[in-house]
Amino acid sequence: MIVVTGATGNVGRELVSILAAAGEQVTAVSRQPAQFAEGVRHSQADLNDPTSLRSALEGADALFLLVAGDDPHGILKEAADVKRVVLLSSQGAGTRPEVYRHPALFERAVRESGLDFTILRPGGFDSNAYAWAESVRTRRTAAAPFGDVGLPTIDPADIAAVAAAVLRESGHSGRTYELTGPALVTPRERAAALGAALGEPVRFVEQTREEARAQMLQVMPEPVVEGTLAILGEPTAAEQSVSPDVQRVLGRAPRTFADWAARNLPAFR
Ligand SMILES: NC(=O)c1ccc[n+]([C@@H]2O[C@H](COP(=O)([O-])OP(=O)(O)OC[C@H]3O[C@@H](n4cnc5c(N)ncnc54)[C@H](OP(=O)(O)O)[C@@H]3O)[C@@H](O)[C@H]2O)c1
């Protein structure tokens, strides 16, 4: 049985359905109640309270772990009987560990746990474009800072596909995979791709760094806002490089932002 935390998220929901379709027994974990396909067990638990995972983890062979809460050691203690743990970390744990301290802390705990582990380090998600859903629906506009700085954002469905492979196959033990999309795409190009998928232009509005900062502070702690702005505005060479790891694990190229937009149009119509 495979336990998937973050099971109602962009990555987790897709991962649960890939695993269930492959015939795996799945326990889907989130804090809020949720519905899944028949045969998928749902367990309500909070990663902030590791003991709340106990019933989800009973009889589990593998754990897909999200970075949430402050006690990775407590979580891994509860998971001591699983054979494999796959951690959804973040590219920032490698490129800016002083800012992305939580993912770095979880990575260290997983490495030191003695369990068979694989770490996934995705860059920015294509699904971050959901932040534009309302303005695209109502005004056909999309606002972001650093309109012409490209990053190789990744489709969360590709992260889920890699996670499913790594959870089910052997040969990934001890590996850290950097997960990116197939090419650099700028915010301006992402807005244009959404417009092309909709069949109507989407106007790109370039925000100042301060405007973007004020907006991000509503949903993220200050150090993470600064780190994210640095990645969006002055990415390092590592943050702009296209990784071969999706192709290596899946035997196919990662999907484009245009592909993500076409599959997720209802949110923007
Ligand atoms: N977006 C990016 O660009 C990016 C880049 C790199 C890494 N990441 C990482 O990827 C992770 C997954 O992203 P996503 O887009 O799939 O997530 P998401 O859509 O925001 O969903 C988060 C999921 O985690 C669950 N959850 C949140 N806090 C929890 C807790 N304390 N205990 C148990 N469950 C909890 C949520 O359900 P409930 O609310 O019901 O608990 C939901 O199922 C993020 O958490 C982030 O660390 C994201």
Side-chain angles (χ1 to χ4, degrees):
M1 186 265 287
I2 300 176
V3 174
V4 176
T5 63
T8 54
N10 293 299
V11 175
R13 196 167 272 285
E14 183 74 20
L15 176 58
V16 168
S17 69
I18 295 172
L19 293 173
E24 297 287 351
Q25 273 193 300
V26 183
T27 296
V29 175
S30 63
R31 289 169 302 181
Q32 303 301 316
Q35 296 286 328
F36 292 92
E38 218 185 304
V40 173
R41 182 166 81 106
H42 180 250
S43 179
Q44 267 179 270
D46 187 339
L47 290 162
N48 277 295
D49 171 12
T51 58
S52 71
L53 287 163
R54 203 161 284 171
S55 100
L57 285 165
E58 223 170 86
D61 302 303
L63 169 65
F64 177 75
L65 179 60
L66 197 73
V67 172
D70 288 316
D71 187 8
H73 292 286
I75 295 168
L76 293 164
K77 201 168 135 208
E78 293 298 330
D81 291 335
V82 305
K83 294 184 190 70
R84 179 170 294 169
V85 57
V86 175
L87 177 69
L88 180 58
S89 180
S90 174
Q91 180 187 64
T95 58
R96 301 176 196 254
E98 69 293 346
V99 175
Y100 291 89
R101 287 162 67 167
H102 257 80
L105 182 77
F106 272 65
E107 285 195 5
R108 204 160 39 246
V110 162
R111 287 201 175 93
E112 290 168 357
S113 67
L115 298 170
D116 176 333
F117 72 88
T118 306
I119 290 169
L120 308 182
R121 281 183 179 169
F125 291 6
D126 289 343
S127 50
N128 293 345
Y130 281 136
W132 291 338
E134 206 238 322
S135 69
V136 170
R137 266 199 316 271
T138 57
R139 303 187 295 285
R140 292 289 187 251
T141 63
F146 315 115
D148 297 308
V149 178
L151 288 169
T153 56
I154 177 149
D155 187 330
D158 281 343
I159 303 172
V162 169
V166 167
L167 284 159
R168 300 183 73 226
E169 295 166 2
S170 52
H172 305 287
S173 181
R175 301 279 176 88
T176 297
Y177 292 125
E178 309 285 338
L179 304 180
T180 72
L184 299 181
V185 195
T186 68
R188 198 183 300 281
E189 288 166 343
R190 286 199 283 278
L194 272 172
L198 284 164
E200 278 180 52
V202 169
R203 191 168 66 89
F204 181 73
V205 179
E206 180 144 352
Q207 291 176 312
T208 65
R209 187 188 186 100
E210 269 317 300
E211 284 165 347
R213 189 171 179 277
Q215 201 176 327
M216 290 160 79
L217 278 171
Q218 291 169 22
V219 291
M220 292 179 202
E222 213 243 331
V224 178
V225 169
E226 295 304 336
T228 305
L229 284 169
I231 291 176
L232 297 177
E234 303 101 31
T236 63
E239 287 159 352
Q240 282 192 306
S241 73
V242 171
S243 167
D245 288 349
V246 170
Q247 172 83 45
R248 271 194 197 137
V249 176
L250 298 180
R252 64 158 174 83
R255 283 174 272 211
T256 61
F257 178 81
D259 190 322
W260 179 88
R263 295 197 331 276
N264 291 279
L265 267 192
F268 300 93
R269 276 218 169 93

